[in-house]
Amino acid sequence: MEQSSEAPRQAPTAKDIAAGFRAKITGPNREYEPGDQLPAARKLAKELGVQLMTVQGAYGQLRDEGLILTQQGRGTFVRDPSAPLGTEPGSSPAFTALAVELSSIHDALRVLGERLDRLEQIVGNGTPPSR
């Protein structure tokens, strides 16, 4: 009986798959641009010899990082980083509401920062008088 000198290839983990696609989406030698469709999860799982849940986990990591979005019945696509989160077609209503809330918090912080700057100008850089 002949034995192969190569060790059996270990199937990639969800983390490995996500890292590979992350590099293909954000790396210097991009293979995917905004709007490009990623392989179907079932097809990719079969090609890589992993369970469907492994690929779904990898896509979930990328979705949580804001790199991709999934549109029911259409597929998984590279997200346009210039588009505000939650505004793309297929975004969940909860995610859209969260994006709106975060935007209003950001605006409030900006206004508070401007008010703080004005107060510091009025008071000056001196220390307050002691009693």
Side-chain angles (χ1 to χ4, degrees), residues 93-115:
F95 194 78
T96 302
L98 180 60
V100 168
E101 183 67 22
L102 285 173
S103 178
S104 68
I105 291 170
H106 181 266
D107 291 342
L109 286 171
R110 183 184 47 76
V111 169
L112 286 172
E114 291 169 357
R115 290 177 65 187

mmCIF file of all heavy atoms in Angstrom, residues 93-115:
data_model
loop_
_atom_site.group_PDB
_atom_site.id
_atom_site.type_symbol
_atom_site.label_atom_id
_atom_site.label_comp_id
_atom_site.label_asym_id
_atom_site.label_seq_id
_atom_site.Cartn_x
_atom_site.Cartn_y
_atom_site.Cartn_z
ATOM 1 N N PRO A 93 -34.503 46.476 8.861
ATOM 2 C CA PRO A 93 -35.085 47.680 9.466
ATOM 3 C C PRO A 93 -34.431 48.008 10.814
ATOM 4 O O PRO A 93 -34.225 49.182 11.129
ATOM 5 C CB PRO A 93 -36.561 47.324 9.642
ATOM 6 C CG PRO A 93 -36.813 46.220 8.677
ATOM 7 C CD PRO A 93 -35.519 45.485 8.527
ATOM 8 N N ALA A 94 -34.098 46.989 11.595
ATOM 9 C CA ALA A 94 -33.462 47.234 12.895
ATOM 10 C C ALA A 94 -32.094 47.881 12.702
ATOM 11 O O ALA A 94 -31.716 48.808 13.422
ATOM 12 C CB ALA A 94 -33.332 45.931 13.676
ATOM 13 N N PHE A 95 -31.349 47.394 11.716
ATOM 14 C CA PHE A 95 -30.022 47.951 11.454
ATOM 15 C C PHE A 95 -30.149 49.380 10.955
ATOM 16 O O PHE A 95 -29.376 50.247 11.339
ATOM 17 C CB PHE A 95 -29.285 47.078 10.435
ATOM 18 C CG PHE A 95 -27.826 47.379 10.365
ATOM 19 C CD1 PHE A 95 -26.960 46.907 11.329
ATOM 20 C CD2 PHE A 95 -27.308 48.147 9.342
ATOM 21 C CE1 PHE A 95 -25.610 47.174 11.281
ATOM 22 C CE2 PHE A 95 -25.958 48.435 9.276
ATOM 23 C CZ PHE A 95 -25.107 47.941 10.258
ATOM 24 N N THR A 96 -31.127 49.648 10.115
ATOM 25 C CA THR A 96 -31.356 50.998 9.607
ATOM 26 C C THR A 96 -31.707 51.944 10.760
ATOM 27 O O THR A 96 -31.176 53.055 10.839
ATOM 28 C CB THR A 96 -32.483 50.997 8.551
ATOM 29 O OG1 THR A 96 -32.101 50.112 7.496
ATOM 30 C CG2 THR A 96 -32.732 52.372 7.992
ATOM 31 N N ALA A 97 -32.568 51.490 11.673
ATOM 32 C CA ALA A 97 -32.936 52.319 12.825
ATOM 33 C C ALA A 97 -31.712 52.595 13.695
ATOM 34 O O ALA A 97 -31.525 53.714 14.173
ATOM 35 C CB ALA A 97 -34.029 51.628 13.637
ATOM 36 N N LEU A 98 -30.870 51.593 13.869
ATOM 37 C CA LEU A 98 -29.657 51.769 14.661
ATOM 38 C C LEU A 98 -28.717 52.770 13.989
ATOM 39 O O LEU A 98 -28.131 53.627 14.656
ATOM 40 C CB LEU A 98 -28.950 50.429 14.859
ATOM 41 C CG LEU A 98 -27.666 50.440 15.674
ATOM 42 C CD1 LEU A 98 -27.927 50.953 17.080
ATOM 43 C CD2 LEU A 98 -27.060 49.053 15.710
ATOM 44 N N ALA A 99 -28.583 52.691 12.669
ATOM 45 C CA ALA A 99 -27.721 53.619 11.933
ATOM 46 C C ALA A 99 -28.231 55.053 12.083
ATOM 47 O O ALA A 99 -27.448 55.986 12.263
ATOM 48 C CB ALA A 99 -27.655 53.228 10.459
ATOM 49 N N VAL A 100 -29.549 55.246 12.043
ATOM 50 C CA VAL A 100 -30.138 56.577 12.214
ATOM 51 C C VAL A 100 -29.848 57.090 13.620
ATOM 52 O O VAL A 100 -29.456 58.248 13.808
ATOM 53 C CB VAL A 100 -31.659 56.549 11.924
ATOM 54 C CG1 VAL A 100 -32.342 57.830 12.384
ATOM 55 C CG2 VAL A 100 -31.907 56.297 10.451
ATOM 56 N N GLU A 101 -30.017 56.235 14.613
ATOM 57 C CA GLU A 101 -29.764 56.625 16.008
ATOM 58 C C GLU A 101 -28.299 56.995 16.209
ATOM 59 O O GLU A 101 -27.981 57.998 16.847
ATOM 60 C CB GLU A 101 -30.162 55.482 16.951
ATOM 61 C CG GLU A 101 -30.019 55.804 18.415
ATOM 62 C CD GLU A 101 -30.992 56.864 18.901
ATOM 63 O OE1 GLU A 101 -32.033 57.065 18.265
ATOM 64 O OE2 GLU A 101 -30.691 57.493 19.931
ATOM 65 N N LEU A 102 -27.386 56.205 15.661
ATOM 66 C CA LEU A 102 -25.961 56.510 15.770
ATOM 67 C C LEU A 102 -25.620 57.829 15.093
ATOM 68 O O LEU A 102 -24.794 58.596 15.588
ATOM 69 C CB LEU A 102 -25.116 55.378 15.185
ATOM 70 C CG LEU A 102 -25.008 54.122 16.033
ATOM 71 C CD1 LEU A 102 -24.297 53.015 15.260
ATOM 72 C CD2 LEU A 102 -24.293 54.407 17.338
ATOM 73 N N SER A 103 -26.255 58.091 13.977
ATOM 74 C CA SER A 103 -26.023 59.345 13.273
ATOM 75 C C SER A 103 -26.469 60.534 14.127
ATOM 76 O O SER A 103 -25.770 61.552 14.209
ATOM 77 C CB SER A 103 -26.774 59.343 11.944
ATOM 78 O OG SER A 103 -26.598 60.560 11.273
ATOM 79 N N SER A 104 -27.619 60.404 14.801
ATOM 80 C CA SER A 104 -28.093 61.506 15.645
ATOM 81 C C SER A 104 -27.181 61.688 16.859
ATOM 82 O O SER A 104 -26.934 62.819 17.283
ATOM 83 C CB SER A 104 -29.540 61.303 16.065
ATOM 84 O OG SER A 104 -29.662 60.212 16.948
ATOM 85 N N ILE A 105 -26.657 60.593 17.404
ATOM 86 C CA ILE A 105 -25.705 60.697 18.516
ATOM 87 C C ILE A 105 -24.429 61.391 18.044
ATOM 88 O O ILE A 105 -23.879 62.255 18.740
ATOM 89 C CB ILE A 105 -25.403 59.298 19.100
ATOM 90 C CG1 ILE A 105 -26.634 58.753 19.819
ATOM 91 C CG2 ILE A 105 -24.196 59.337 20.031
ATOM 92 C CD1 ILE A 105 -26.536 57.294 20.214
ATOM 93 N N HIS A 106 -23.975 61.048 16.863
ATOM 94 C CA HIS A 106 -22.774 61.681 16.297
ATOM 95 C C HIS A 106 -22.989 63.184 16.143
ATOM 96 O O HIS A 106 -22.120 63.986 16.490
ATOM 97 C CB HIS A 106 -22.438 61.033 14.953
ATOM 98 C CG HIS A 106 -21.225 61.596 14.308
ATOM 99 N ND1 HIS A 106 -21.282 62.608 13.386
ATOM 100 C CD2 HIS A 106 -19.915 61.294 14.467
ATOM 101 C CE1 HIS A 106 -20.066 62.918 12.996
ATOM 102 N NE2 HIS A 106 -19.213 62.137 13.638
ATOM 103 N N ASP A 107 -24.157 63.566 15.626
ATOM 104 C CA ASP A 107 -24.468 64.997 15.459
ATOM 105 C C ASP A 107 -24.503 65.702 16.815
ATOM 106 O O ASP A 107 -23.989 66.825 16.953
ATOM 107 C CB ASP A 107 -25.801 65.180 14.733
ATOM 108 C CG ASP A 107 -25.739 64.758 13.277
ATOM 109 O OD1 ASP A 107 -24.617 64.644 12.727
ATOM 110 O OD2 ASP A 107 -26.815 64.527 12.687
ATOM 111 N N ALA A 108 -25.109 65.068 17.822
ATOM 112 C CA ALA A 108 -25.186 65.682 19.150
ATOM 113 C C ALA A 108 -23.785 65.852 19.746
ATOM 114 O O ALA A 108 -23.489 66.883 20.347
ATOM 115 C CB ALA A 108 -26.060 64.826 20.070
ATOM 116 N N LEU A 109 -22.921 64.865 19.561
ATOM 117 C CA LEU A 109 -21.553 64.976 20.068
ATOM 118 C C LEU A 109 -20.791 66.099 19.371
ATOM 119 O O LEU A 109 -20.022 66.823 19.999
ATOM 120 C CB LEU A 109 -20.806 63.653 19.901
ATOM 121 C CG LEU A 109 -21.202 62.541 20.872
ATOM 122 C CD1 LEU A 109 -20.546 61.226 20.472
ATOM 123 C CD2 LEU A 109 -20.842 62.917 22.293
ATOM 124 N N ARG A 110 -21.014 66.262 18.079
ATOM 125 C CA ARG A 110 -20.363 67.340 17.343
ATOM 126 C C ARG A 110 -20.801 68.693 17.885
ATOM 127 O O ARG A 110 -19.979 69.577 18.143
ATOM 128 C CB ARG A 110 -20.689 67.233 15.847
ATOM 129 C CG ARG A 110 -19.992 68.282 14.980
ATOM 130 C CD ARG A 110 -20.416 68.200 13.523
ATOM 131 N NE ARG A 110 -21.854 68.091 13.319
ATOM 132 C CZ ARG A 110 -22.722 69.109 13.436
ATOM 133 N NH1 ARG A 110 -22.297 70.304 13.768
ATOM 134 N NH2 ARG A 110 -23.999 68.916 13.227
ATOM 135 N N VAL A 111 -22.101 68.865 18.115
ATOM 136 C CA VAL A 111 -22.628 70.119 18.654
ATOM 137 C C VAL A 111 -22.064 70.371 20.057
ATOM 138 O O VAL A 111 -21.651 71.490 20.378
ATOM 139 C CB VAL A 111 -24.174 70.102 18.677
ATOM 140 C CG1 VAL A 111 -24.739 71.267 19.474
ATOM 141 C CG2 VAL A 111 -24.717 70.117 17.253
ATOM 142 N N LEU A 112 -22.022 69.332 20.890
ATOM 143 C CA LEU A 112 -21.459 69.491 22.235
ATOM 144 C C LEU A 112 -19.983 69.872 22.170
ATOM 145 O O LEU A 112 -19.518 70.690 22.975
ATOM 146 C CB LEU A 112 -21.637 68.207 23.040
ATOM 147 C CG LEU A 112 -23.060 67.925 23.524
ATOM 148 C CD1 LEU A 112 -23.150 66.527 24.127
ATOM 149 C CD2 LEU A 112 -23.501 68.968 24.524
ATOM 150 N N GLY A 113 -19.250 69.297 21.239
ATOM 151 C CA GLY A 113 -17.844 69.655 21.067
ATOM 152 C C GLY A 113 -17.672 71.105 20.682
ATOM 153 O O GLY A 113 -16.779 71.799 21.192
ATOM 154 N N GLU A 114 -18.533 71.586 19.785
ATOM 155 C CA GLU A 114 -18.476 72.997 19.384
ATOM 156 C C GLU A 114 -18.798 73.910 20.565
ATOM 157 O O GLU A 114 -18.143 74.936 20.766
ATOM 158 C CB GLU A 114 -19.454 73.255 18.233
ATOM 159 C CG GLU A 114 -19.043 72.594 16.928
ATOM 160 C CD GLU A 114 -20.136 72.632 15.871
ATOM 161 O OE1 GLU A 114 -21.259 73.128 16.158
ATOM 162 O OE2 GLU A 114 -19.872 72.153 14.751
ATOM 163 N N ARG A 115 -19.802 73.539 21.377
ATOM 164 C CA ARG A 115 -20.155 74.338 22.549
ATOM 165 C C ARG A 115 -19.007 74.363 23.558
ATOM 166 O O ARG A 115 -18.709 75.403 24.147
ATOM 167 C CB ARG A 115 -21.416 73.784 23.204
ATOM 168 C CG ARG A 115 -22.665 74.015 22.347
ATOM 169 C CD ARG A 115 -23.889 73.401 22.948
ATOM 170 N NE ARG A 115 -24.223 74.059 24.219
ATOM 171 C CZ ARG A 115 -25.179 73.627 25.027
ATOM 172 N NH1 ARG A 115 -25.900 72.565 24.714
ATOM 173 N NH2 ARG A 115 -25.423 74.264 26.151
#
